[in-house]
Amino acid sequence: MTMGGDSPILELRNIIKSFGSLVAVNHVSFSLDRGRLVTFLGPSGCGKTTLLRVVSGFAEPDEGEVILDGQNVTRKPPNARDTAMVFQNYALFPHMTVAQNIGFGMKIRKKSREEIDSEVKRLLALVKMEGLGERRPHELSGGQQQRVALARALSLHPKILLLDEPLSNLDANLRINMREEIRRLQRRLGLTIIFVTHDQEEAMSISDLLVVMDQGVVKQIGSPTGIYEKPADEFVANFIGHINFFSGEIVSFSGEEMNLQIAQGGLRVKRPSFPVSPNDKVKLVVRPESIHLVDAGKEEGRVENMIEGRIEVAMYIGSIIRYTIRCGEQIIYVDRSDPEHAGIFQEGSRVGLILKKEIHMFKI
Amino acid sequence: MEKSFFQTLAKDTQFLLRNPGLLITTSIAVILLLFFIVFPIGAVLVKSFTVTFPFVTVSSLNNVSNKADSETMVTQKILASLKSIQGVTLLEATTEEKRSVIIVTFQKNWDDLKCLNDVKRALDRNKGDLSQVVEKISITLGRKTVNSLDTYIDFFSKKYYNRALRNSLTLAVTSTIIIVFISFIFAYLSLNGPPLVSAPLRIVGLLPLVAPPFIFSLSLILIGGKQGVITKAIHSQYHIYGWPGVILAQIITFLPLGYLMIENVLRSLDPNLDEAASDMGASPLDILFRITIPLAAPGILKAALLVFICSIADFGNPMLIGGGISFLSTDAYLLWTSENNLEMAAVFCMFLVIPSMIVFVVHEYILKGKMYTTIGGKPQQAEKRKISSKIFYPMLGFATPVSLLIVVCFGMIFLGAFTKILMINNTFTLEHFETPNGIRSLLSSLKFALGAAAIAPIIGVTLSYILVRKRIPLKKVIESIALLGFAVPGTVMGVGYILFFNNPPLKLTGTFIIMILNEAFRNLSVGLEAGVSKLHQLDVAIEEAAIDMGASTFQTFTRIVLPLISSALIAGFIYTFMVGMIAVSAVIFLISPGNYLASIYILNVAEEGFLGMACAISTMLIGVVLVCLGALKMLSRYTKIAVFARGY
């Protein structure tokens, strides 16, 4: 067994998996360093769960290789892999107590009774379930069942912990608590975790690394901030957070900056990292919170990168206020934080929208 | 605060009395249940605790002058002449001046006519002596029924009675264990095996459903009986009659029941549990023994209990292939037909009822709700995994011979039907089909099954509506009674009907209608249970909406509820029809000349050795059942009503 510190714990090489004519996972390659929490994120049916099942061994890929800690485990059954899965419905054994559930894997491995007992005790404490070992799964709340499932998965010290939409059956508050707890546990124990979810907020808040998937294909791999600020394409941009798009055409360059023409007027922005030339069409991606709003009547003279609009809806959401603004043909969303302090524009009022100079864009 | 039982009872009764419509419907239902289920079973219970003594009263008008003469010249002489009669237990004499009355009491259950004739003959022998002093002599027969435990004492003290109980229990336990084992294998393979194995197993596992329950005895006799194909081929003295035959026949007969139930249980298990165990390092064998079997255990036990009830109540197989071994159900019949000993038959019935009741109570009250269901969330669609060869081949090793036997059994029936004498004269013939009585019995069977199928689901479904939706007192008791008809072995219901419907004004024995009613009330439970589960799925708000629009309870039931739960009615209809076509055990007691049913006719001709004819009628019976099922399936496609909702 190689215990190389730097080599990735998991490598997926060109994985293809199809069900009949449906290609669930299409040429996916990806590597994961130990001690990280990676999230497979995407809409339902994007192939994220199938990819997880390829890693765990429940689905055998049609093509490609799964390398776990330097070993090729592609053809190994789940019970011969050092991975542990927490199922969406927890899959606790209803005919066993909590303690028996947690101790099941160790029992299969013929560990001594004392060893199992003490390990179960430790794991129960780890997930804050002390004293509930003799309960049956149906006597537990959803959150408690989740903790038991987690403890059971941890009992075999897996190289990778696989969590399949683990929080989707919990109610909103509990979901946030649990995800924080999973993150804390992961940091404390240095666990390597693959987390599958369709909830982008959950994914953003918990992960070191995001793998955004759509229709069996990996769209983008990156850190939460990287993906949020610089989505690779329209799908990713749309899927992660709220977003405004502007279609534009490059007019001219001047040094590090360039002039763009969009439907609502001219913009002067920083040149993108990819090569561009005049007349190229680009799509600008602007997050609602990165647009500055000013009272259209108050601003005298020409302000750079300002477009005009009229507020159609002002929706107060507590921490922010979200404006729906009509700018010509287009609807633009703008979020303003701290509305109490910043003041609220009335619906119907005319405003100026000021865009930053640094705008993420991609060619179309 | 928890209301006491009596408070609830009082409240419910008050409610019932305020609703005349409900009161009338409920009363009718309860009266029907009492008359056609409770009282007949009660009659068996009462009969088992009684003993009947026939007695003959001899009274003479004496031509003497005083009492002393009467005593010496008549009474003593008559007494002397009667002493030597066989079976007399008591002679009581009273003498008056001109009269002598002698009551001759015989042993219990002594044949009435024999008593009468013996007394007459004895008196005739002394005619010469008596004729001078006796003016007139009259002899009358009577029966004295007393409450007594004697029949039970007889049962336990005489080996040829109580061995029937031992044999029946041994048979039921043995068959149940084997059937559950094989059913599990069939269910497991048909769910997890490769398609090439699972598809045929599913068909073979259900095949025996379309055949009369004893048809496999018939084919086993054709194969291994004294003149059987194999017996002849190897010139063996060995034949299959007796234990091996009955057990083998029961395995095939009741396999579909066990298979259907266990398959249902296995199918409902959450596949994620298997995966979780596999993920924790469990091997396929670990999963089978630590996860699948423990999880399925309550369901398997349920299946075992039902198979047990069916096995102990089975009539046709022990009758045909039992080779004279005593079993409770068949001996109860023989006690009635050959000895007219209904008291002992009733005791036999009680010993049939007791195990069935225990099983029924365990099934209804202890196991109910003990099933393991998925906890939280929907199970992930699991990819079907390849079955481990360590499980597959051993299981296949058991499933293959059983499957082959089932197929061969069916084949033998057809071969037997179309050959002169199978293996002796294998020429093709249709002569076995030329049986006017057989065809007449088929028509009777059709009438009988359709009649029962028309009645049972209507009562069952109506009852389910009252029980689920209405407030009536003693719900649980009423439901249990309705299910009792199914739980109590057919032999018991048969004897019960003979006892209860044999006296005016309810003298219905010998009529066709009593056979139909018997069959209908024995099958209430299917319509009832289908109705209950359907109603639980149906939102009460739909009915409330109808009432809100001004519909009465009756209109709501007929216009809203019935159309919505029609599948329960149809399920009840199909089930009752199929069971009716192949019914044996209860109706055999109620059969009367001219009302022969095909299934019983087959049994009779088979017993008399006309195996070819038995095969031919069986073939026709299977044909009729299949044609009717096909017609129903067409009907369901045409009307879009889910006819085959219950897996038929």
Side-chain angles (χ1 to χ4, degrees), chain A residues 53 79 85 89 95 109, chain B residues 270 275 279-280 282 290 380:
Chain A
R53 294 170 69 82
N79 51 3
M85 178 112 135
N89 64 357
H95 60 306
R109 279 170 177 67
Chain B
D270 177 1
E275 297 196 330
D279 200 43
M280 309 303 302
R290 289 175 193 243
Q380 196 66 216

Side-chain angles (χ1 to χ4, degrees), chain B residues 234-273:
Chain B
I234 59 175
H235 304 288
S236 162
Q237 289 300 306
Y238 177 82
H239 57 77
I240 201 160
Y241 289 98
W243 286 105
V246 185
I247 291 173
L248 216 51
Q250 285 206 338
I251 291 172
I252 305 175
T253 309
F254 301 124
L255 179 68
L257 180 68
Y259 166 69
L260 271 176
M261 290 192 66
I262 293 176
E263 201 243 26
N264 209 6
V265 173
L266 291 184
R267 196 199 288 277
S268 69
L269 295 183
D270 177 1
N272 279 172
L273 294 176

